[in-house]
């Protein structure tokens, strides 16, 4: 039967089914076989020939026929999984049923009355029958997919002729892992047909897991996804080989191949992409009952860590590659899924996190993350990617080694629109963060706390900031310390506390190599004097807010010397066509996603209990030490701590004099004021005595200066370590499914269905 005749025959079968007014008996094989035995249709054909309207009509008007269609298609997969796929006809049947179920399942899930259908048992099964016959349809379907993913001559290569002949169920799938890497040393011969068949099955598996996107976010928190829960349980005998196969396929993937220009036109990265999506869908449910998460946490061999890190970093850096021939090297597009995988690896497997930070290889992850942050900062459709990148850096910054590694000189010239500078990776991070806060989308404002927390965490270990990075830090402090900004929202002063803590950490612990930052502090000393003398009476507060209303709200003031000063309220870049609207869960405050730890003399961390932190008293003490202010920054009431939609203003809130005094009295200015008291007269004197006008000589003077014995006793180093919580878990869940939705557009599995987890932006 030709391709055109096959499609016509299939379409006639669909019309017959949707127009029948009476139920078709399940035993009528002649009718049902039309859908999988007598035709050969691609997955794109199935989606085109089975319209959404007809599936919904079948669901509403002939529910028994839809139920029978699903059951019969699933039963064919069960048969294939039981005996193996040994002939071309059997292969055709399995693939046709796989495609048909991939098309229908979303319309089962979107109707609350149908969601329990696959968790019912096989029609006609009795309690006396074998356990397998009494399994819910969903369990039988998932086990069949797992079996078929390791079916010799269908999805994996046979080792010898006996593999196809012997009992399929007796085969040890650990011998058929798809790619060499973790737990498997041999790389099987490439087989494009097998890759295609796996991809079809993985699409169906993802579709099974996608019931979650038809539930509103609040519902998802209350119950686990039963499809993922079962598939990741010990009931799935292929859990380990599938886990290692998915991980190895991703980490071994080389989009450049042999290095020949334009070779990517011959190959597709669909294999790695589908593996990534399936891995991500298995990740949210944590705990020992999820074998995929369990296996991920138990990887421990250094050679396995090296393989994973090399693979992930190589793929993340792929879009940054520059070649002489335009478009001659394949650029991967699944960096979001890679970042999800890397985040879960670091979060679940602490040994892997420590391995990453053990050498400068972590910088191979840092640079592409900063590239994606910078590239996405103004794009509304990529705000989720920015959040994800910031979460990863927050997680890494909680470890001392990350800050130490950042001192390595930055010599790679990645195509980013940042000022040219000579400095370290820490300088690059600060420059990019400055752009996010001053030239980013306004919906990134709730991330400011996270961005500054990362800088605070690394600041005690930064040996030498460049003049560019130092200027960026002082520019942020200048912008955030303006009276109207401080008084316009209850939590805006937190940003000033963070930046002062950065300055204090560097002055107290890395003074010798940071003459450029010290010079910048001296040049911008009026910022600190204005903060120390900030008027907090009711009249002054009101005047500051009135001035704000008379001009457009801007983060950077016209008086700033920063060459790239701009505001966060710039014109938004329109979202890319076909993107989903970022209806993500609200992000918890920084105090909810981090835990404070104090660095002890031996380098170990000691948790800082919130219960013993000093409470803010009305008016406060007149001169709080830097240690106090660093140990406890939660000077606001619980209501003030809650995240607001905008960090800059809160129209329904009115600042009071008592409130302003309560946090002003805790500003950690003591160390900086002492530095200015000692160094400003010295710098002024040398400038007058030697007639200096060149900052180079001033920097040399500061470089050889010392403040030993002149500064207050060094405060303890505080690190705010990322802690997983329900808020970030909910955010991650929504973001992950949004990415999977967008990636699977050929065919468009979930297009035009009633998704509840997030909104779809029709553009």
């Amino acid at each position: 039967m030709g391709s055109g005749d096959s499609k016509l025959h299939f379409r006639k079968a669909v019309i017959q089914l949707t127009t029948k007014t009476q139920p078709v008996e399940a035993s009528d094989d002649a009718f049902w076989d039309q859908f999988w035995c007598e035709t050969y249709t691609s997955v794109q054909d199935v989606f085109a020939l089975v319209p959404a309207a007809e599936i919904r009509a079948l669901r509403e008007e002939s529910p028994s026929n839809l139920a029978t269609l699903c059951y019969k298609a699933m039963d064919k997969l069960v048969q294939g999984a039981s005996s193996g796929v040994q002939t071309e006809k059997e292969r055709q049947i399995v693939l046709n049923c796989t495609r048909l179920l991939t098309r229908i399942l979303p319309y089962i899930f979107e109707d609350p009355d149908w969601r329990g259908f696959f968790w019912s048992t096989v029609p006609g099964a009795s309690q006396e029958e074998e356990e397998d016959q009494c399994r819910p349809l969903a369990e039988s379907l998932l086990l069949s997919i797992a079996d078929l993913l390791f079916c010799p001559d269908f999805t994996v290569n046979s080792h010898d002729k006996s593999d196809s002949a012997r009992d399929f169920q007796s085969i040890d799938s650990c011998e058929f892992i798809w790619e060499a890497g973790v737990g498997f040393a041999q790389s099987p011969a490439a087989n494009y047909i097998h890759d295609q068949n796996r991809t079809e099955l993985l699409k169906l598996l993802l579709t099974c897991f996608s019931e979650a996107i038809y539930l509103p976010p609040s519902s998802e928190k209350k119950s686990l996804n039963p499809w993922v829960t079962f598939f990741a349980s010990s009931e799935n005998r292929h859990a380990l080989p599938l886990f290692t196969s998915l991980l190895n396929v991703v980490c071994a993937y080389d989009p450049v191949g042999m290095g020949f220009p334009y070779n990517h036109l011959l190959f597709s990265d669909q294999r790695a992409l589908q593996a990534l999506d399936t891995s991500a869908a298995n990740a949210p449910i944590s705990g020992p009952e999820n074998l995929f998460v369990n296996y991920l946490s138990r990887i421990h061999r250094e050679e396995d860590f090296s393989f994973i890190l090399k693979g992930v970093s190589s793929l993340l850096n792929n879009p940054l590659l520059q070649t002489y021939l335009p478009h001659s090297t394949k650029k991967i597009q699944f960096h979001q899924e890679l970042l999800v995988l890397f985040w879960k690896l670091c979060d679940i497997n602490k040994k892997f996190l420590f391995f990453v930070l053990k050498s400068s290889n972590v910088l191979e992850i840092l640079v592409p993350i900063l590239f994606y942050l910078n590239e996405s900062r103004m794009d509304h459709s990529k705000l989720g990617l920015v959040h994800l990148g910031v979460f990863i850096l927050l997680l890494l910054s909680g470890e001392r080694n990350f800050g130490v590694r950042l001192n390595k000189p930055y010599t790679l010239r990645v195509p980013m629109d940042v000022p040219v500078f000579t400095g370290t990776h820490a300088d690059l991070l600060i420059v990019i963060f400055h752009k996010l806060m001053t030239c980013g989308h306004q919906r990134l404002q709730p991330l400011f706390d996270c961005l500054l927390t990362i800088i605070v965490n690394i600041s005690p270990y930064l040996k030498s900031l460049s003049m560019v990075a130092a200027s960026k830090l002082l520019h942020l402090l200048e912008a955030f310390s303006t009276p109207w900004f401080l008084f316009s929202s209850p939590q805006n002063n937190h940003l000033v506390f963070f930046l002062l803590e950065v300055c204090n950490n560097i002055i107290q612990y890395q003074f010798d190599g940071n003459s450029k930052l010290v010079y910048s502090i001296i040049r911008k000393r009026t910022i600190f004097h204005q903060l120390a003398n900030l008027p907090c009476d009711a009249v002054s507060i009101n005047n500051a807010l009135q001035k704000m209303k008379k001009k457009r709200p801007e983060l950077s003031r016209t008086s700033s010397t920063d060459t790239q000063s701009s505001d966060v309220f710039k014109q938004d870049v329109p979202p890319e066509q076909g993107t989903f609207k970022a209806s993500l869960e609200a992000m918890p405050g920084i105090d909810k996603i981090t835990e404070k730890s104090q660095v002890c003399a031996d380098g170990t961390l000691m948790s800082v209990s919130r219960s013993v932190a000093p409470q803010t008293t009305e008016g406060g003490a007149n001169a709080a030490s830097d240690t106090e202010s660093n140990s406890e920054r939660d000077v606001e009431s619980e209501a003030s701590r809650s995240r607001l939609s905008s960090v800059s203003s809160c129209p329904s809130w009115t600042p009071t004099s008592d409130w302003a005094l309560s946090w002003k009295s805790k500003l950690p200015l003591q160390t900086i004021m002492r530095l200015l008291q000692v160094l400003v007269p010295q710098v002024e004197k040398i400038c007058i005595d030697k007639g200096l006008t060149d900052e180079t000589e001033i920097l040399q003077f500061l470089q050889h200066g010392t403040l030993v014995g002149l500064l207050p006793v060094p405060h303890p180093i505080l690190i705010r370590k990322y802690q997983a919580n329900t808020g970030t878990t909910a955010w991650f869940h929504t973001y992950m499914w949004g990415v999977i939705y967008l990636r699977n557009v050929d065919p468009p599995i979930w297009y035009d269905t009633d998704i509840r987890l997030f909104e779809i932006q029709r553009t």
Side-chain angles (χ1 to χ4, degrees):
M1 185 182 293
S3 175
D5 292 339
S6 182
K7 292 178 186 178
L8 181 61
H9 189 78
F10 183 82
R11 179 60 188 150
K12 286 181 178 178
V14 173
I15 293 173
Q16 286 181 39
L17 179 64
T18 55
T19 55
K20 282 185 179 293
T21 56
Q22 298 298 321
V24 181
E25 293 295 329
S27 58
D28 188 354
D29 290 338
F31 175 79
W32 296 112
D33 284 352
Q34 297 178 94
F35 293 96
W36 37 77
C37 291
E38 301 173 13
T39 62
Y40 183 82
T41 50
S42 68
V43 66
Q44 288 79 12
D45 292 336
V46 171
F47 273 70
L49 298 173
V50 187
E54 293 183 13
I55 300 175
R56 290 192 175 104
L58 185 64
R59 186 183 68 197
E60 302 304 323
E61 298 168 15
S62 302
S64 63
N65 285 344
L66 178 59
T68 305
L69 178 65
C70 292
Y71 162 65
K72 295 287 286 185
M74 188 216 71
D75 189 51
K76 291 296 180 183
L77 294 186
V78 171
Q79 291 177 28
S82 299
S83 58
V85 183
Q86 299 178 19
T87 67
E88 181 58 30
K89 183 175 182 180
E90 289 174 346
R91 175 180 176 274
Q92 174 184 318
I93 291 173
V94 167
L95 290 177
N96 283 341
C97 291
T98 298
R99 294 159 184 165
L100 194 57
L101 287 170
T102 302
R103 178 59 170 153
I104 293 173
L105 274 172
Y107 299 92
I108 299 288
F109 294 151
E110 74 173 4
D111 189 331
D113 294 334
W114 274 82
R115 284 186 201 133
F117 168 72
F118 273 93
W119 295 98
S120 59
T121 54
V122 176
S126 64
Q127 295 294 329
E128 289 77 20
E129 290 181 302
E130 295 181 12
E131 182 183 344
D132 286 349
Q133 292 296 316
C134 295
R135 279 191 181 279
L137 299 178
E139 293 185 4
S140 298
L141 176 59
L142 290 172
L143 293 178
S144 299
I145 294 172
D147 283 338
L148 289 168
L149 285 169
F150 293 93
C151 181
D153 295 325
F154 180 59
T155 50
V156 294
N157 296 325
S158 296
H159 294 167
D160 51 56
K161 293 182 180 180
S162 63
D163 284 340
S164 300
R166 63 176 166 160
D167 180 12
F168 176 44
Q169 294 296 320
S170 68
I171 289 177
D172 181 5
S173 50
C174 286
E175 299 175 4
F176 294 89
I177 290 172
W178 302 345
E179 186 60 76
V182 177
F184 198 66
Q186 300 171 336
S187 186
N191 189 308
Y192 178 68
I193 300 299
H194 292 173
D195 284 345
Q196 280 189 317
N197 296 342
R198 288 176 199 158
T199 299
E200 302 252 22
L201 289 166
L202 290 176
K203 281 185 185 294
L204 176 56
L205 186 60
L206 265 182
T207 308
C208 291
F209 294 163
S210 70
E211 179 182 307
I213 69 177
Y214 296 97
L215 303 173
S218 57
S219 300
E220 181 61 23
K221 293 176 187 175
K222 298 174 184 176
S223 60
L224 298 176
N225 185 330
W227 295 84
V228 176
T229 301
F230 178 79
F231 191 78
S233 73
S234 57
E235 293 278 349
N236 179 5
R237 71 186 182 98
H238 303 290
L240 177 58
L242 182 57
F243 165 78
T244 50
S245 293
L246 294 172
L247 184 62
N248 292 351
V249 163
V250 173
C251 296
Y253 178 55
D254 179 12
V256 178
M258 299 296 292
F260 299 122
Y262 304 103
N263 72 327
H264 63 281
L265 300 178
L266 304 176
F267 306 103
S268 168
D269 56 14
Q270 188 67 25
R271 179 177 187 242
L273 172 60
Q274 211 64 58
L276 264 174
D277 283 348
T278 310
S279 302
N282 271 291
I285 301 177
S286 58
E289 65 278 3
N290 185 322
L291 292 181
F292 284 78
V293 172
N294 184 272
Y295 295 144
L296 193 64
S297 69
R298 286 165 49 190
I299 298 173
H300 63 279
R301 297 192 310 171
E302 293 227 342
E303 55 265 40
D304 290 338
F305 288 155
S306 179
F307 167 74
I308 294 171
L309 181 59
K310 181 180 178 182
V312 172
S313 63
S314 174
L315 289 171
L316 283 175
N317 281 280
N318 165 266
L320 281 61
L321 296 176
Q322 300 183 76
T323 57
Y324 292 107
L325 295 174
H327 311 296
S328 62
T329 301
K330 183 177 182 64
K331 306 290 187 183
I332 65 159
Q333 299 297 319
F334 50 80
H335 48 274
Q336 295 185 84
E337 291 93 328
L338 280 168
L339 289 175
V340 168
L341 175 63
F342 181 77
W343 183 27
K344 299 308 291 185
L345 275 163
C346 291
D347 192 28
I348 293 170
N349 192 320
K350 296 306 178 188
K351 289 182 180 178
F352 176 75
L353 174 61
F354 298 146
F355 176 84
V356 169
L357 295 169
K358 192 169 69 172
S359 71
S360 296
N361 289 336
V362 67
L363 303 177
E364 296 295 313
I365 299 290
L366 171 72
V367 172
I369 289 178
L370 293 177
F371 170 82
Y372 296 128
L373 292 182
N374 184 56
E375 183 186 53
S376 308
R377 70 181 191 278
M378 287 296 293
D379 191 336
H380 176 272
S381 67
K382 295 181 179 178
L383 297 185
L385 171 59
V386 176
H387 277 74
L388 179 60
V390 172
F391 287 158
I392 292 173
L393 296 182
L394 179 62
L395 178 66
L396 295 175
S397 73
E399 306 298 330
R400 175 186 178 276
N401 273 357
F402 181 65
V404 173
R405 301 301 168 206
L406 292 178
N407 290 306
K408 184 175 180 179
Y410 174 68
T411 55
L412 181 68
R413 289 298 168 227
V414 172
M416 286 191 276
D417 56 333
V418 297
V420 177
F421 67 91
T422 301
T424 66
H425 285 77
D427 295 313
L428 178 65
L429 181 144
I430 290 170
V431 168
I432 296 297
F433 280 16
H434 176 270
K435 289 184 75 70
L436 284 173
M437 287 186 273
T438 60
C439 309
H441 194 286
Q442 69 180 54
R443 289 188 60 187
L444 291 179
Q445 293 179 22
L447 276 181
F448 287 8
D449 277 358
C450 276
L451 294 170
L452 293 182
T453 296
I454 293 167
I455 299 177
V456 170
N457 282 348
I458 64 175
S459 59
Y461 313 110
L462 305 184
K463 296 185 183 230
S464 179
L465 286 184
S466 69
M467 185 63 80
V468 171
S471 298
K472 300 300 183 188
L473 286 177
L474 269 296
H475 173 244
L476 289 176
L477 183 58
E478 182 180 20
F480 292 146
S481 62
T482 55
W484 72 261
F485 185 82
L486 288 170
F487 297 146
S488 59
S489 180
Q491 74 274 9
N492 282 359
N493 63 83
H494 293 181
L495 304 178
V496 172
F497 274 89
F498 279 129
L499 287 163
L500 291 176
E501 189 173 347
V502 170
C503 294
N504 287 331
N505 282 341
I506 294 176
I507 292 170
Q508 291 279 23
Y509 292 98
Q510 299 292 344
F511 176 83
D512 289 347
N514 276 290
S515 57
K516 296 181 179 68
L517 177 65
V518 173
Y519 176 69
S520 298
I521 290 174
I522 293 173
R523 284 190 61 219
K524 292 285 188 179
R525 57 189 178 276
T526 55
I527 300 174
F528 305 98
H529 291 299
Q530 288 171 358
L531 272 175
N533 298 295
L534 181 71
C536 294
D537 58 279
V539 174
S540 298
I541 292 175
N542 186 60
N543 288 341
L545 294 177
Q546 289 303 316
K547 287 181 182 178
M548 175 187 67
K549 293 177 182 178
K550 292 178 182 178
K551 63 178 182 178
R552 184 186 179 196
E554 293 181 342
L555 263 185
S556 54
R557 303 179 297 174
T558 54
S559 60
S560 172
T561 58
D562 191 279
T563 57
Q564 294 201 348
S565 64
S566 56
D567 60 80
V568 295
F569 301 101
K570 279 191 170 183
Q571 181 71 30
D572 297 345
V573 173
E576 295 177 355
Q577 186 167 1
T579 59
F580 74 99
K581 186 176 180 181
S583 55
L584 298 174
E585 291 275 306
M587 277 311 307
I590 190 68
D591 57 331
K592 299 296 190 298
I593 64 174
T594 57
E595 180 182 75
K596 295 178 184 175
S597 298
Q598 182 174 309
V599 180
C600 301
D602 59 358
T604 59
L605 295 179
M606 178 180 67
S607 178
V608 177
S609 173
R610 294 177 185 273
S611 60
V612 299
Q615 299 298 313
T616 304
T617 57
E618 191 169 323
N622 211 16
S625 72
D626 294 341
T627 304
E628 288 175 330
S629 46
N630 284 327
S631 298
E632 178 51 48
R633 303 185 26 153
D634 302 327
V635 299
E636 304 303 326
S637 63
E638 187 63 30
S640 298
R641 287 197 201 107
S642 62
R643 294 305 310 175
L644 301 171
S645 60
S646 170
V647 78
S648 62
S649 62
C650 181
S652 61
W653 176 81
T654 303
T656 65
S657 179
D658 288 344
W659 164 81
L661 286 169
S662 70
W663 58 260
K664 179 195 170 185
S665 64
K666 294 183 176 294
L667 287 171
L669 290 166
Q670 190 179 11
T671 297
I672 297 171
M673 289 305 203
R674 182 59 180 155
L675 176 145
L676 293 174
Q677 183 184 9
V678 173
L679 292 182
V680 169
Q682 294 181 15
V683 171
E684 289 178 341
K685 184 176 186 302
I686 193 173
C687 287
I688 294 172
D689 291 350
K690 296 187 177 182
L692 298 182
T693 56
D694 183 8
E695 66 180 22
T696 305
E697 294 189 52
I698 301 173
L699 287 171
Q700 288 177 349
F701 166 74
L702 293 173
Q703 216 165 5
H704 296 95
T706 179
L707 292 178
V708 175
L710 299 175
L711 295 178
V713 176
H715 55 273
I717 296 175
L718 283 184
I719 302 296
R720 294 166 180 83
K721 295 173 71 74
Y722 167 80
Q723 294 293 320
N725 62 85
T726 55
T728 53
T729 300
W731 180 91
F732 168 78
H733 176 81
T734 306
Y735 172 74
M736 177 198 69
W737 275 111
V739 171
I740 292 174
Y741 173 91
L742 290 177
R743 283 284 182 259
N744 289 272
V745 294
D746 185 24
I749 297 175
W750 301 282
Y751 179 76
D752 204 26
T753 59
D754 187 20
I755 291 172
R756 306 286 302 281
L757 186 63
F758 47 80
E759 296 176 32
I760 306 299
Q761 185 166 14
R762 308 295 183 190
T763 56

